[in-house]
Amino acid sequence: TIVLIGGPGSGKRLLGNYLLGRVAFPQGQNLPMAVAEGPWFGALGSLQVVRLASLDLDAVKTDGPWISMLNGLSEVGPIHSVILTVSTPDFTDLEAKILSGLRTFFGAAFWRHFCLFCTGPGCRPEEASLPDLEADLRTKFLKIEGQASNDINAVWDLQSAHVLGADLVPELMAPELRAKEFRLKRALQDLDLVEMLDLDAKLPPDIHSIEELDNAQMQKLAFTPAQEAWILGSYYRYGLSRLLLLRSVLESMPAFFVFKPGEWKDCDIEKALEESAEFATVVTRNWG
C-alpha cells in the first residue's frame, strides 16, 4: 500500500493511474481520501493506492483538516510508503510545509518510508539528473529534520530517502488512451504497460543523443520495430521506465500500521495487534 500526497496539480492522480495501469482516479475527483486496488501497472502482483486530497498553503498552516485526513489512514491497513508528488523539481514552501507536517505526524522513522516523485516535464531524463536532484533535495530534507529534532537515526535514514521522477503524460497511462495514441503506430499497438516500460528501460543509456547520430550509426544499433516506433514518437524522452525503479524501491520498504491516532508511539506490532482495543489512540509502526 502506498499513500500519495501533494499540492494541486502535483500529479497524484497521474502517478496513481500509471501505477495501477488504468484510470483508477478520474479527473475532478477530490475526495478527502480515494482508494484503488489492482496489479502493478495492470499486470504484476497486487497494489493498493491511497490518494489524499490536494493541499494548499492555507490547509497546511493549521493542524485541523489535513491532520484529520492523515488520521483517516487508520482505516487503510498496512502502509509501505508515503509519496510526496511534485510537478517540477523545484521544492516550494508548500512542499516544505507538507513534508514538515508529515515528519511531525509520523515521527523520526518517517524517512524510511518516504519517497518524492516529480511528475512533470522538468523531470525528463534530459532535463534532470536524478542523482543531482536527489542531492539537492536531500539538503532540504536535512533542514526539515533539523527543525524537527535532528534525531541522529532520522538523519541517517533520510540519506537513503528516494527521489525519482518522469514526465507522466496522460495519453500513455491507460489501455484506451494508448490505443488512441498508437493508432498509427502498429508496432506499439499491442503492448501493455509493463511491456512498454520494459521496452523503454532496454534502450541504450545514451538514447537522448540519438538525434546526433547519422544513418550508418543508427543502423548499427539494430532497433526492433517497436523500439523504432517508440523512438520516432519521442516517447523515450519521458523517462517512463523510472516507474519500474519506483516499484522496486517501494517493494523493498517494510510496512507500518496506523491505528486510531491521538498520540504517536512506536511499539511491537504483534503486541499492538493483540491489544488493539487498548491501543485505540495509538499509532503503531513496524519499522522492520
Side-chain angles (χ1 to χ4, degrees), residues 88-117:
T88 71
D90 301 324
F91 197 72
T92 67
D93 287 345
L94 175 59
E95 279 87 45
K97 288 282 188 182
I98 293 174
L99 193 51
S100 178
L102 290 172
R103 165 59 180 86
T104 300
F105 189 78
F106 286 106
F110 162 71
W111 299 108
R112 301 182 191 177
H113 300 266
F114 171 69
C115 180
L116 183 144
F117 197 95

Side-chain angles (χ1 to χ4, degrees), residues 16-280:
N17 289 341
Y18 261 102
L19 292 179
L20 291 169
R22 59 187 173 87
V23 183
F25 303 100
Q27 182 77 36
Q29 182 190 65
N30 198 31
L31 302 171
M33 180 188 298
V35 181
E37 299 178 353
W40 284 92
F41 311 123
L44 303 172
S46 61
L47 174 67
Q48 179 175 247
V49 179
V50 181
R51 176 186 177 273
L52 300 182
S54 295
L55 298 169
D56 56 27
L57 276 173
D58 289 336
V60 297
K61 283 178 181 177
T62 64
D63 291 336
W66 89 287
I67 296 301
S68 297
M69 186 168 64
L70 291 178
N71 287 345
L73 295 175
S74 61
E75 302 176 6
V76 171
I79 298 169
H80 294 79
S81 180
V82 177
I83 301 179
L84 175 62
T85 58
V86 296
S87 59
T88 71
D90 301 324
F91 197 72
T92 67
D93 287 345
L94 175 59
E95 279 87 45
K97 288 282 188 182
I98 293 174
L99 193 51
S100 178
L102 290 172
R103 165 59 180 86
T104 300
F105 189 78
F106 286 106
F110 162 71
W111 299 108
R112 301 182 191 177
H113 300 266
F114 171 69
C115 180
L116 183 144
F117 197 95
C118 177
T119 63
C123 285
R124 294 182 178 189
E126 62 195 73
E127 299 290 339
S129 161
L130 288 183
D132 291 344
L133 181 60
E134 196 169 73
D136 178 57
L137 290 175
R138 195 163 285 144
T139 62
K140 296 177 171 63
F141 301 162
L142 281 167
K143 182 178 179 180
I144 290 170
E145 178 56 38
Q147 294 169 342
S149 72
N150 216 27
D151 180 283
I152 186 62
N153 291 322
V155 171
W156 180 262
D157 288 338
L158 72 79
Q159 297 301 319
S160 59
H162 297 279
V163 176
L164 297 168
D167 186 4
L168 301 185
V169 292
E171 55 265 32
L172 300 181
M173 68 184 178
E176 63 275 18
L177 298 175
R178 289 195 299 277
K180 183 177 180 180
E181 176 68 20
F182 296 154
R183 63 187 182 277
L184 297 179
K185 299 177 177 68
R186 294 182 180 179
L188 299 175
Q189 288 175 354
D190 295 330
L191 296 183
D192 62 25
L193 183 54
V194 173
E195 293 168 331
M196 188 184 80
L197 298 179
D198 186 59
L199 179 152
D200 188 69
K202 290 179 178 178
L203 291 176
D206 58 351
I207 187 65
H208 298 281
S209 61
I210 193 169
E211 294 179 359
E212 301 172 8
L213 302 181
D214 57 31
N215 289 338
Q217 291 171 317
M218 284 284 290
Q219 289 178 0
K220 289 181 181 180
L221 293 175
F223 292 119
T224 66
Q227 287 176 323
E228 287 184 359
W230 188 255
I231 293 167
L232 290 173
S234 293
Y235 301 116
Y236 67 93
R237 294 187 181 277
Y238 302 142
L240 294 178
S241 56
R242 289 173 172 176
L243 291 169
L244 297 174
L245 177 57
L246 177 63
R247 181 194 177 209
S248 177
V249 164
L250 298 181
E251 289 194 325
S252 70
M253 294 181 179
F256 65 92
F257 289 77
V258 181
F259 290 94
K260 296 178 182 178
E263 60 181 283
W264 299 87
K265 179 181 178 182
D266 293 333
C267 58
D268 180 82
I269 189 61
E270 292 184 4
K271 180 179 178 181
L273 289 172
E274 291 172 0
E275 303 176 6
S276 58
E278 297 180 22
F279 283 82

